[in-house]
Amino acid sequence: MDTVAEELSLIGKLKEELNLLKERNIKGDLSRALDLVDELESDIKNRCSSHLITDELRFILDKIDEAVYVKDTKSCFIYANNKFLKIVEVDSFGEIEGKTDDDLNWGNLERDRFKYMSKICIQNKASVKNVIGPVKRSNGQHYWFECRKSPVINAQGKVEAVFGILDDVTNSRKKQQALLHSEARLKNYFLNTNDGLFILNYKFEIIDVNPAIFQITGYKRDELLKRNLFDLFIDNESLDGLKEKCKNIGINTESHECSLISLDNKLKHVKLDILNVEIDHYICFVKDISDLKRAIKKAEESNRLKTAFLQNISHELRTPLNAIIGFSNILVRKMYDTEKDADAYKKVIYNNSEYLLGLINNVIDLSKIETGQTDLNPSKFVLVPFIKNDVLPVIIAEKERLNKDKVIIDLDVSDLSERVGLYADQGRLKQIIVNLMHNALKFTIEGKVSLKIYEAGDCLLFEVADTGIGINNEQLGRIFHRFYKVQGEGVVTPFPNQGSGLGLAIVKKLLNLMNGRIKVESEINKGTRFIFEIPKQYEPAR
């Protein structure tokens, strides 16, 4: 016999003939002959195994981490190391010797793939490799194996056996899957985050950007590539040391706030967080903090206004309260000379009490308007009768209260039809007119205070004019501010500079709610004119 394989082939044929004779009940005991043939076959297989796997090689293979096995050309196991026995969950090689994959506890899918790999390996006389899994074991865990099979070819070019290696790649596959998931999450973050991302080289030149950068800067990706990061920002002085800091940040992050002009010429405030991810690469996170900056500025302004408001209101409250308490004390202790003096003190108490009540009402009114708690109640009404019957009597009473005997009140509605209608909140419109007329009376010593109303397209214009002391240009820009009071000589009121400074602020805010607007013109010592307009029909501002 030239080869062990040929010997085994002849032994196989001899066994077939002996079994056939036994089945036909040929005289004679064939059992002994069959036993001898089996012994001969086993001896040849052992010599085959010894030929392929020497004792020295067995010793080495039992020590390595990979599972190693050898199969004959019929896919029967003729060798397996300890690692392989552990994977197939048997205690000794004797349990699988001479058996095939069909006899092991593989799943159907794994079994078919192992058999197919052996078939291709033998047919093509070439090595094959594949990943098999997930393979469920008795502990309930699933494993992945990389299977490599190589043909053992004899001197005559025939395949004698298949040499296989089974490598447990479960952990590496899990790491690979985790890496893929991590890359997918990072890619998703890169593409969809609202924060801008620059990828920079060691020169801080831009080599990649995410879509959010376009929303922040207005520049497209191709317009930014190869540009230096720091050339995008306008406050270069504050960035002088940032580049050097970035070169030494290591694994830490260097943060900085700066500004840039976007492509549409808008000023953007941004926060940069620069991270050195590799020796020669950086990631720069760009967060648009423009809204935050505006919110902080607004909060600071609100805090400043709150402080100013508290200071002003405390002063405004203290002044009339001091007068009320002081003159009440005089009356209680009867520290006056005549009844005429007592009456004058009572009048002071009354006027200051009215002023205090008006101040509190104005503060509450303004607070409600500014916090959106004021609802307008518009209705249709005829304007001229409303002015004559509801507004004018209040103005006349105010004139008498202010002792303006030398001031004439003039109402001019000659350009209006008696039936002209308006859809508005009557109470708020009356409040606006009375406030403006009150101011005009207060600052007019003698002369005329007039109210003229006329139409202009879809709007009605109300003009309140006086011949009073006037307002200089410096003060005109501030008269609608809260607590601002016009200062000037010749201001004659029941009390010097009396007034809370809230009336015009309330007027302007109410007109904003009514979709109206107001302007003012004034000349020193000649008078002031307020003109406001509101639409005849309107939807309240929201």
Side-chain angles (χ1 to χ4, degrees):
M1 299 295 176
D2 293 330
T3 66
V4 173
E6 290 174 347
E7 291 179 13
L8 289 174
S9 177
L10 289 175
I11 291 295
K13 290 178 181 178
L14 179 58
K15 285 179 68 175
E16 288 178 4
E17 291 296 330
L18 290 172
N19 282 319
L20 185 61
L21 291 172
K22 186 176 181 180
E23 288 174 0
R24 292 176 180 175
N25 295 317
I26 300 299
K27 292 181 179 180
D29 186 5
L30 299 179
S31 298
R32 178 57 181 163
L34 285 170
D35 290 340
L36 290 172
V37 171
D38 287 339
E39 289 178 11
L40 179 60
E41 182 182 35
S42 177
D43 179 65
I44 293 173
K45 283 185 177 180
N46 287 333
R47 285 192 288 115
C48 176
S49 175
S50 299
H51 168 69
L52 295 173
I53 309 294
T54 64
D55 291 339
E56 291 83 359
L57 184 57
R58 288 173 187 270
F59 179 80
I60 294 172
L61 292 179
D62 280 336
K63 300 297 182 183
I64 65 175
D65 290 332
E66 287 81 5
V68 178
Y69 59 91
V70 180
K71 293 181 179 181
D72 62 22
T73 53
K74 294 182 179 180
S75 292
C76 296
F77 287 99
I78 57 178
Y79 170 76
N81 72 349
N82 292 332
K83 185 70 174 182
F84 185 82
L85 299 179
K86 184 176 181 181
I87 289 175
V88 298
E89 300 178 326
V90 296
D91 296 326
S92 66
F93 175 66
E95 296 180 50
I96 64 170
E97 185 178 8
K99 295 181 180 180
T100 68
D101 288 308
D102 289 327
D103 301 309
L104 303 185
N105 59 343
W106 301 122
N108 291 331
L109 180 62
E110 298 90 62
R111 183 182 299 114
D112 291 342
R113 293 179 73 178
F114 280 129
K115 290 164 68 175
Y116 179 75
M117 287 180 68
S118 295
K119 178 181 177 182
I120 297 301
C121 178
I122 294 171
Q123 283 182 353
N124 297 338
K125 297 182 179 180
S127 297
V128 292
K129 182 173 73 172
N130 204 346
V131 176
I132 309 294
V135 179
K136 187 175 182 181
R137 301 284 77 190
S138 61
N139 60 3
Q141 300 295 318
H142 290 83
Y143 296 87
W144 291 82
F145 299 101
E146 182 182 78
C147 181
R148 300 189 297 275
K149 294 191 177 188
S150 299
V152 179
I153 302 175
N154 62 20
Q156 289 72 36
K158 294 183 178 181
V159 177
E160 286 189 5
V162 173
F163 186 86
I165 297 177
L166 208 59
D167 190 14
D168 186 348
V169 294
T170 305
N171 290 334
S172 61
R173 186 177 177 84
K174 287 180 179 178
K175 291 177 181 178
Q176 184 183 22
Q177 291 295 321
L179 182 60
L180 291 174
H181 288 314
S182 178
E183 288 177 352
R185 287 195 298 269
L186 285 174
K187 185 176 181 180
N188 182 62
Y189 175 79
F190 184 81
L191 295 176
N192 299 302
T193 179
N194 292 327
D195 294 340
L197 287 171
F198 287 113
I199 309 298
L200 312 169
N201 63 16
Y202 71 99
K203 295 180 180 179
F204 298 98
E205 293 173 337
I206 300 167
I207 59 177
D208 202 0
V209 299
N210 73 336
I213 286 294
F214 173 74
Q215 301 297 327
I216 296 173
T217 67
Y219 292 100
K220 295 180 180 178
R221 181 177 183 273
D222 293 342
E223 297 172 318
L224 291 169
L225 296 184
K226 298 302 181 183
R227 291 186 63 178
N228 190 282
L229 173 71
F230 299 107
D231 291 341
L232 297 175
F233 305 102
I234 58 177
D235 40 359
N236 290 327
E237 290 183 5
S238 66
L239 294 170
D240 286 343
L242 182 59
K243 188 182 296 186
E244 290 303 317
K245 288 182 180 179
C246 290
K247 291 178 180 179
N248 301 309
I249 57 179
I251 61 172
N252 297 317
T253 303
E254 186 66 34
S255 298
H256 189 79
E257 291 185 9
C258 51
S259 304
L260 61 85
I261 302 295
S262 63
L263 190 62
D264 55 359
N265 208 33
K266 290 182 179 178
L267 177 65
K268 298 286 185 73
H269 298 284
V270 296
K271 181 186 178 186
L272 307 181
D273 290 299
I274 303 178
L275 177 65
N276 185 197
V277 291
E278 295 177 10
I279 295 175
D280 56 353
H281 283 84
Y282 299 87
I283 293 179
C284 179
F285 298 85
V286 185
K287 188 174 186 65
D288 187 346
I289 57 173
S290 302
D291 291 340
L292 177 62
K293 285 285 187 182
R294 284 190 288 268
I296 291 173
K297 186 176 180 180
K298 186 176 180 181
E300 289 173 346
E301 177 65 12
S302 296
N303 189 56
R304 187 189 66 78
L305 291 174
K306 180 186 73 174
T307 302
F309 174 81
L310 292 173
Q311 290 173 346
N312 282 317
I313 196 66
S314 62
H315 173 74
E316 295 296 333
L317 289 171
R318 189 182 296 113
T319 301
L321 281 173
N322 284 339
I324 293 169
I325 294 171
F327 284 102
S328 296
N329 189 43
I330 291 174
L331 291 175
V332 169
R333 297 187 179 188
K334 296 184 179 181
M335 297 169 64
Y336 51 85
D337 296 329
T338 64
E339 288 298 322
K340 186 177 180 180
D341 291 337
D343 291 339
Y345 298 155
K346 292 174 185 177
K347 190 173 182 180
V348 170
I349 294 171
Y350 175 77
N351 287 336
N352 276 278
S353 298
E354 274 204 332
Y355 168 76
L356 188 59
L357 180 60
L359 172 63
I360 293 171
N361 286 335
N362 280 341
V363 168
I364 294 172
D365 210 9
L366 184 63
S367 297
K368 285 183 176 181
I369 295 172
E370 290 183 338
T371 55
Q373 298 180 45
T374 298
D375 294 323
L376 298 179
N377 298 300
S379 61
K380 292 182 179 180
F381 61 95
V382 181
L383 180 60
V384 175
F386 167 73
I387 296 295
K388 290 180 177 180
N389 299 328
D390 291 68
V391 179
L392 188 58
V394 177
I395 296 171
I396 293 172
E398 190 66 12
K399 172 193 168 183
E400 293 175 354
R401 190 181 72 82
L402 295 173
N403 295 319
K404 296 293 182 174
D405 297 333
K406 296 181 180 181
V407 179
I408 299 172
I409 293 177
D410 179 48
L411 174 64
D412 183 0
V413 291
S414 58
D415 293 338
L416 287 178
S417 165
E418 286 287 333
R419 303 304 303 167
V420 66
L422 181 63
Y423 181 74
D425 187 318
Q426 295 184 52
R428 293 302 186 180
L429 179 59
K430 179 179 177 180
Q431 182 181 359
I432 292 169
I433 296 172
V434 170
N435 266 346
L436 292 175
M437 292 294 287
H438 169 80
N439 274 351
L441 286 167
K442 186 169 59 175
F443 293 104
T444 302
I445 301 171
E446 59 181 343
K448 183 173 70 171
V449 170
S450 63
L451 171 62
K452 183 178 180 179
I453 308 173
Y454 51 96
E455 294 182 81
D458 294 331
C459 295
L460 283 168
L461 271 66
F462 297 75
E463 183 178 307
V464 175
D466 63 61
T467 57
I469 62 173
I471 308 170
N472 63 43
N473 289 332
E474 182 183 348
Q475 297 186 82
L476 272 181
R478 292 181 284 173
I479 59 174
F480 293 107
H481 294 181
R482 293 183 300 178
F483 293 108
Y484 185 76
K485 300 178 185 180
V486 173
Q487 306 295 322
E489 296 181 0
V491 179
V492 178
T493 63
F495 300 96
N497 292 327
Q498 184 178 6
S500 64
L502 296 175
L504 290 179
I506 292 174
V507 165
K508 186 174 179 64
K509 290 183 181 296
L510 284 175
L511 285 171
N512 288 340
L513 286 177
M514 299 169 74
N515 290 327
R517 57 183 178 177
I518 187 170
K519 64 179 182 177
V520 58
E521 303 167 353
S522 188
E523 190 174 347
I524 296 296
N525 296 324
K526 289 189 176 181
T528 303
R529 182 173 63 165
F530 288 88
I531 302 172
F532 72 88
E533 66 176 60
I534 56 173
K536 294 177 184 177
Q537 294 189 358
Y538 73 99
E539 290 294 328
R542 298 186 184 279

